[in-house]
Amino acid sequence: MAKILFVVTGADHWTLADGTKHPTGFWAEEAVTPYETLTAAGHEVVVATPGGVVPTVDRGSLAPEFNGGQEGADRVAAALDAFEELRRSVALEDVDLDAYDAVFYPGGHGPMEDLAVNEASGRLLTAALASGKPLGVVCHGPAALLAATGPDGKNAFAGYRLTGFTNTEETQAGLAEKAKWLLQDRLVAAGAEFQEGEPWAPFIITDRNLITGQNPASSAPLATELVNRLG
């Protein structure tokens, strides 16, 4: 049995360009699907957040239209209720990477607010990348990569092939014009080799021990890849 660290945003809003606080948090499917896949394979999950706060789910991610209808929405809501580790989160600042076999970052717009500039998260990501342990990051989760600086002062993920929520998807979601910055643009500026698949379709990229997924639909194949890597 492996022990997997889920690093989840502690933010409940995303500050837009005009200063408006857009309600958000973590995206339900991106946490629930990997959790169910990993625990079904016999692995243990521990949740860490900045300051050890109980993370906030993006209420929009529980809507029927994002879960294939009401039945799917009900299933995700029930799965969240059963995800007890979310309510027993540990402080990200106190995490010892040596205690874990893999690290996973779900998305939601929350990471754009806090993890993108969180030094403890940045150090953890840099160490996880160097360790060779499986590192999975999905959708807006790659915003956290922006805080990862290597010993040379450059972004630790520069030169890595990866993906994340695309400019096209942010535009289709209606938030691109309201955002202070876009994830794809920042990752490219940090030196990452950003790749994108079809909007909203499952798409994952693997490069060494890094596994990234483009959007919520990518959480399932990413979780499967994590399980495969863990043996």
Side-chain angles (χ1 to χ4, degrees):
M1 181 180 74
K3 194 173 182 181
I4 297 91
L5 181 71
F6 275 40
V7 180
V8 182
T9 177
D12 62 5
H13 68 275
W14 175 34
T15 305
L16 301 178
D18 65 358
T20 301
K21 292 184 177 181
H22 176 72
T24 187
F26 69 90
W27 197 259
E29 179 182 2
E30 296 166 22
V32 164
T33 299
Y35 174 77
E36 291 183 328
T37 301
L38 288 160
T39 55
H43 302 307
E44 178 186 355
V45 167
V46 174
V47 172
T49 61
V53 301
V54 175
T56 299
V57 65
D58 186 316
R59 303 306 300 180
S61 68
L62 300 176
E65 57 264 36
F66 293 120
N67 293 286
Q70 188 61 52
E71 184 177 341
D74 291 343
R75 193 199 71 77
V76 169
L80 266 184
D81 287 341
F83 193 163
E84 295 181 357
E85 291 85 349
L86 284 169
R87 297 181 286 280
R88 299 197 305 266
S89 55
V90 302
L92 176 58
E93 298 78 6
D94 298 334
V95 164
D96 178 6
L97 178 63
D98 291 341
Y100 299 93
D101 301 291
V103 178
F104 172 67
Y105 279 66
H109 280 105
M112 302 276 281
E113 184 73 21
D114 62 351
L115 297 180
V117 293
N118 187 286
E119 292 183 1
S121 175
R123 288 193 297 270
L124 176 71
L125 284 163
T126 302
L129 193 64
S131 74
K133 295 177 179 181
L135 172 59
V137 195
V138 70
C139 202
H140 286 93
L145 309 187
L146 300 172
T149 304
D152 57 1
K154 296 180 181 178
N155 188 279
F157 293 87
Y160 274 76
R161 291 182 300 106
L162 53 77
T163 190
F165 204 65
T166 65
N167 289 355
T168 298
E169 288 166 323
E170 202 74 83
T171 298
Q172 291 178 0
L175 287 167
E177 291 185 357
K178 301 176 182 179
K180 288 182 179 179
W181 51 271
L182 298 177
L183 179 58
Q184 180 176 345
D185 291 345
R186 282 286 177 91
L187 290 170
V188 170
E193 294 183 19
F194 192 96
Q195 300 182 11
E196 61 182 298
E198 290 297 316
W200 313 107
F203 183 69
I204 67 168
I205 292 288
T206 61
D207 188 347
R208 288 156 275 188
N209 58 317
L210 177 66
I211 312 157
T212 50
Q214 180 172 312
N215 45 38
S218 305
S219 60
L222 190 154
T224 299
E225 178 66 18
L226 275 178
V227 169
N228 292 341
R229 298 269 181 124
L230 291 166

